[in-house]
């Protein structure tokens, strides 16, 4: 009887370990799905890409996916969280997976915690509308992600935002999201 319980426990431990591996293997493709959802929001792309005071002007051409994403490492939307500053810098947002933890006792669910960082050059805060660029950008991100279902990932739920840091050149904000993924 004891041997049977130990054998069953070993199988459960093995299943838990395998399910965590599957969840983690799926994070890369799922981050790409989140990026694709953000890339279809033309207002967000305009707020990030155009550096003048009227980024939402309908006379401006639409921002292309190539202009916005550029292989994920140096566009205005990035998965790789490296942001440099130059005099002609644009606003940038990056996606980071903060952690993944089992959701309660059920190993079939994993809570994924995602951070979206918004970097805005301080010279570009003012835009023609009554709003300010960083808050407009965060509002567009919320429209694109909040309570949206992404196939293979789950429903994205926001858990607020905070100021990440300010320097003389750039400011950074952090939006937090939680996704409960079913394996």
């Amino acid at each position: 009887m004891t041997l049977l319980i130990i054998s069953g426990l070993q199988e459960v431990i093995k299943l838990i370990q395998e399910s965590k591996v599957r969840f983690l293997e799926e994070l890369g493709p799922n981050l790409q799905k989140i990026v694709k959802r953000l890339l279809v929001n033309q207002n967000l792309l305009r707020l990030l890409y155009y550096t003048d005071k009227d980024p939402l002007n309908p006379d401006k051409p639409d921002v292309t996916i190539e202009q916005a994403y550029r292989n994920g490492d140096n566009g205005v939307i990035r998965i790789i969280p490296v942001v440099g500053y130059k005099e002609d810098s644009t606003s940038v947002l990056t996606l980071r997976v903060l952690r993944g933890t089992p959701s309660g006792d059920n190993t079939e669910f994993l809570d994924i915690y995602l951070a979206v960082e918004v970097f805005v050059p301080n010279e570009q805060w003012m835009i023609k509308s009554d709003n300010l660029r960083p808050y407009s950008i965060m509002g567009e991100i919320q429209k694109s992600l909040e309570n949206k279902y992404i196939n293979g990932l789950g429903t994205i739920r926001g858990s607020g935002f905070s100021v990440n840091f300010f320097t003389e050149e750039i400011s950074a904000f952090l939006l937090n999201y939680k996704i409960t993924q079913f394996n």
Side-chain angles (χ1 to χ4, degrees):
M1 178 85 159
T2 304
L3 184 58
L4 181 62
I5 292 172
I6 291 173
S7 174
L9 182 59
Q10 288 173 338
E11 286 182 38
V12 168
I13 290 171
K14 183 179 176 187
L15 285 173
I16 290 170
Q17 291 169 338
E18 287 174 359
S19 74
K20 286 181 185 176
V21 169
R22 281 191 300 243
F23 282 128
L24 296 176
E25 285 176 349
E26 295 169 359
L27 279 179
N30 287 330
L31 279 176
Q32 297 286 0
K33 290 177 184 178
I34 292 170
V35 167
K36 286 177 185 173
R37 179 168 287 279
L38 293 169
L39 286 170
V40 298
N41 184 329
Q42 194 55 228
N43 282 345
L44 174 62
L45 297 182
R46 287 168 176 265
L47 286 161
L48 292 167
Y49 186 79
Y50 290 114
T51 60
D52 64 350
K53 292 189 184 302
D54 195 12
L56 300 178
N57 184 330
D59 294 334
K60 289 186 181 348
D62 284 348
V63 178
T64 66
I65 290 174
E66 291 78 24
Q67 290 171 312
Y69 191 51
R70 292 191 213 136
N71 299 323
D73 63 355
N74 63 359
V76 294
I77 295 178
R78 303 177 186 187
I79 291 177
I80 300 170
V82 176
V83 178
Y85 178 78
K86 301 179 294 196
E87 289 295 320
D88 62 346
S89 290
T90 61
S91 297
V92 172
L93 68 87
T94 66
L95 279 76
R96 283 189 299 135
V97 175
L98 300 175
R99 67 185 183 280
T101 58
S103 181
D105 294 333
N106 189 343
T107 61
E108 291 295 312
F109 291 91
L110 184 70
D111 289 333
I112 305 291
Y113 294 88
L114 176 72
V116 178
E117 291 178 293
V118 177
F119 299 89
V120 178
N122 292 341
E123 294 176 352
Q124 298 172 18
W125 267 56
M126 302 302 290
I127 56 178
K128 268 194 164 180
S129 75
D130 290 335
N131 207 342
L132 299 169
R133 188 181 308 263
Y135 302 108
S136 293
I137 290 170
M138 288 188 287
E140 293 297 330
I141 293 167
Q142 283 183 311
K143 287 178 195 175
S144 294
L145 298 181
E146 186 69 32
N147 293 318
K148 299 294 193 287
Y149 179 80
I150 295 184
N151 193 25
L153 185 59
T155 302
I156 300 175
R157 304 220 190 282
S159 61
F161 81 98
S162 61
V163 173
N164 199 5
F165 65 84
F166 285 105
T167 69
E168 290 181 21
E169 296 89 18
I170 200 162
S171 53
F173 296 85
L174 188 65
L175 288 96
N176 297 296
Y177 291 93
K178 177 183 170 187
I179 306 159
T180 301
Q181 182 181 19
F182 176 73
N183 190 15

